[in-house]
Amino acid sequence: MVHTMSLIHDDLPAMDNDDYRRGQLTNHKVYGEDVAVLAGDALLTYAFEHIASQTSGAPPQQVLKVIADLAKAVGAAGLVGGQIVDLASEGKEIDEQTLTYIHMHKTAALLEVSVTAGATLAGADQSVIERLKRYAQRIGLAFQIVDDVLDITSTSEALGKSVGKDVAVQKATYPRLWGLEESQRKAQELVDQAISELDGFEARSQPLIAIARYITARTY
Amino acid sequence: MVHTMSLIHDDLPAMDNDDYRRGQLTNHKVYGEDVAVLAGDALLTYAFEHIASQTSGAPPQQVLKVIADLAKAVGAAGLVGGQIVDLASEGKEIDEQTLTYIHMHKTAALLEVSVTAGATLAGADQSVIERLKRYAQRIGLAFQIVDDVLDITSTSEALGKSVGKDVAVQKATYPRLWGLEESQRKAQELVDQAISELDGFEARSQPLIAIARYITARTY
């Protein structure tokens, strides 16, 4: 729900101004900008309502921890903060450190809480949670690198959204900093590092390994 | 925080398109629409982070209840829902029932959870919470009636925001439905009813009585 909110607001004319998302007209193209702002607000809010009222079988204290973690991942210290730096960087030359800051906040932070929430609710050891965090940060960054690469190598038909826009608006991207080939190599390296964080989790970690592998395997 | 988020988003060009709020340029006029959308998102999120991580001295289960109540008051079944009906009603003739629906959701729902949150955290009886809800609904509706009246009778200097806009955009308001005098009478009646809900709460209810009286006393 938080992800969908962020995409609806991200697509707004004042932000990325995207007309298509997953092959469909974006929310504001169909319902208008006013409704799109409100739909994003409602979905963001509903995420917290859902967790607070529908989480059973976990101690309330752990549920509160997940709510605080999610809020931190979305707010000024997370997704919103990354987006602000991203907007402020458009048209400027930025270094690798700034680009990584943007994506660790815009993309990886929400993945991090998505991956750790279950462990937190189950009362996992802090060491396990730290390993899951590193796993999520690495696949988050790899996802963004691949996203940047696909914006150059894929088609809008395959992706269901506009392509070539990053270059057009001179957006800072990994392929621009490193070139395509090195970007692909780094994404694979991050995925391998992510998977190595799961060593010893055995069969339970299979879905997380599959998700990590999918990051670099996807072509759209 | 939720209130400030809703005002930042409410002032956006796609929504009410207001340049001034409390005598200051609105967020998007100073920082741009992109930042205003994100600032609203961050504040909304921070409200949940704050409650989840900074509420001490109350059982976690009650804190979760307040989070769920707040989310419901803000989301599609609350503030956002009221705003959607409000937007859909612009330029149309609407009846008293629809207007009351709008304001019970846009204004009163957030006041309701603001008033009941403390009682919920303190483990108050459901009967007490119900009386506080009715108190909040009545002052919420009274506040909106007075707001509509002031849009006609006050000046933009006194209010710190534009006036006369409701009439200009043919917005449905209480003065339009009932006339000015009857609107003022109903607002006072609602305030009196709100205060009567507090009978028997004794000295502890003084601040709530003062807030209720302020609703009809304010001139800006």
Side-chain angles (χ1 to χ4, degrees):
Chain A
M1 283 171 288
V2 171
H3 184 61
T4 307
M5 156 315 269
S6 79
L7 296 181
I8 292 176
H9 284 184
D10 202 41
D11 289 337
L12 284 169
M15 309 272 273
D16 282 358
N17 194 20
D18 279 311
D19 291 354
Y20 286 92
R21 169 76 69 179
R22 293 175 196 154
Q24 310 271 343
L25 283 171
T26 45
N27 192 295
H28 68 273
K29 293 300 287 183
V30 178
Y31 301 105
E33 276 182 67
D34 47 5
V35 173
V37 170
L38 291 166
D41 292 343
L43 284 166
L44 174 58
T45 305
Y46 189 59
F48 295 107
E49 181 181 341
H50 184 79
I51 300 173
S53 63
Q54 304 293 321
T55 310
S56 54
Q61 197 60 59
Q62 303 302 98
V63 181
L64 287 174
K65 176 78 172 71
V66 167
I67 290 172
D69 285 349
L70 175 63
K72 203 174 286 183
V74 175
L79 193 155
V80 166
Q83 183 76 11
I84 289 278
V85 175
D86 193 16
L87 289 167
S89 305
E90 257 179 38
K92 285 185 195 157
E93 287 296 325
I94 63 168
D95 55 18
E96 186 180 330
Q97 202 186 357
T98 307
L99 189 59
T100 301
Y101 176 95
I102 291 170
H103 295 307
M104 287 299 280
H105 291 77
K106 256 185 75 170
T107 308
L110 192 52
L111 267 169
E112 206 179 296
V113 67
S114 307
V115 170
T116 58
T120 301
L121 291 176
D125 284 347
Q126 195 55 37
S127 65
V128 169
I129 291 174
E130 291 303 326
R131 286 172 66 188
L132 289 172
K133 273 188 192 176
R134 288 194 296 270
Y135 159 87
Q137 287 163 356
R138 278 155 186 71
I139 68 166
L141 213 49
F143 178 89
Q144 195 56 54
I145 296 172
V146 170
D147 216 54
D148 287 354
V149 167
L150 289 174
D151 188 70
I152 295 170
T153 61
S154 188
T155 64
S156 59
E157 288 70 35
L159 287 180
K161 63 178 185 179
S162 59
V163 295
K165 245 185 83 188
D166 294 348
V167 175
V169 301
Q170 294 201 288
K171 204 177 170 77
T173 66
Y174 289 104
R176 199 170 162 208
L177 279 178
W178 299 333
L180 268 181
E181 207 172 318
E182 176 65 5
S183 296
Q184 281 162 324
R185 198 196 59 75
K186 289 229 189 185
Q188 192 54 55
E189 186 179 86
L190 285 163
V191 166
D192 293 342
Q193 287 171 352
I195 291 171
S196 76
E197 291 291 344
L198 307 173
D199 276 357
F201 285 10
E202 295 167 21
R204 294 173 301 160
S205 66
Q206 284 304 320
L208 295 179
I209 294 175
I211 289 168
R213 293 215 170 110
Y214 173 72
I215 304 273
T216 41
R218 78 181 176 116
T219 55
Y220 60 88
Chain B
M1 285 172 284
V2 170
H3 185 60
T4 308
M5 158 314 270
S6 79
L7 295 182
I8 292 176
H9 283 184
D10 201 43
D11 288 337
L12 283 170
M15 308 273 273
D16 282 358
N17 194 22
D18 279 311
D19 291 353
Y20 287 91
R21 167 78 66 180
R22 292 174 197 155
Q24 311 271 342
L25 282 171
T26 45
N27 192 296
H28 67 274
K29 294 300 286 183
V30 178
Y31 301 105
E33 275 183 65
D34 47 4
V35 174
V37 171
L38 291 166
D41 292 343
L43 284 165
L44 174 57
T45 305
Y46 189 60
F48 295 107
E49 181 182 342
H50 184 78
I51 300 173
S53 63
Q54 304 293 321
T55 311
S56 54
Q61 197 60 59
Q62 303 301 100
V63 181
L64 286 174
K65 177 77 172 72
V66 167
I67 290 172
D69 285 351
L70 175 63
K72 202 174 287 183
V74 175
L79 192 155
V80 166
Q83 183 74 10
I84 290 278
V85 176
D86 193 15
L87 289 168
S89 304
E90 257 179 38
K92 286 183 195 157
E93 288 295 328
I94 63 168
D95 55 18
E96 184 180 331
Q97 201 186 356
T98 307
L99 189 58
T100 300
Y101 177 94
I102 291 170
H103 296 307
M104 288 298 280
H105 290 78
K106 256 185 76 171
T107 307
L110 193 52
L111 267 171
E112 205 178 298
V113 66
S114 307
V115 170
T116 59
T120 301
L121 291 176
D125 285 348
Q126 194 55 38
S127 66
V128 169
I129 291 174
E130 291 304 324
R131 286 173 67 189
L132 289 171
K133 273 188 192 179
R134 287 193 297 270
Y135 159 87
Q137 287 163 356
R138 277 155 186 72
I139 66 166
L141 212 50
F143 177 89
Q144 194 57 53
I145 296 172
V146 170
D147 216 52
D148 287 354
V149 167
L150 289 174
D151 187 69
I152 295 170
T153 61
S154 188
T155 64
S156 59
E157 287 71 32
L159 285 180
K161 64 178 186 178
S162 59
V163 296
K165 246 185 83 188
D166 293 349
V167 176
V169 301
Q170 293 200 292
K171 205 176 168 80
T173 66
Y174 289 105
R176 199 170 163 210
L177 279 178
W178 299 332
L180 269 180
E181 206 170 321
E182 175 65 6
S183 297
Q184 281 161 324
R185 198 196 60 74
K186 289 229 187 187
Q188 192 55 56
E189 186 179 87
L190 284 162
V191 165
D192 293 342
Q193 287 172 352
I195 291 171
S196 76
E197 290 291 344
L198 306 174
D199 276 358
F201 286 9
E202 294 167 22
R204 294 174 301 161
S205 67
Q206 283 305 319
L208 295 178
I209 294 174
I211 289 168
R213 292 212 171 111
Y214 173 72
I215 303 273
T216 40
R218 79 180 175 116
T219 54
Y220 58 90

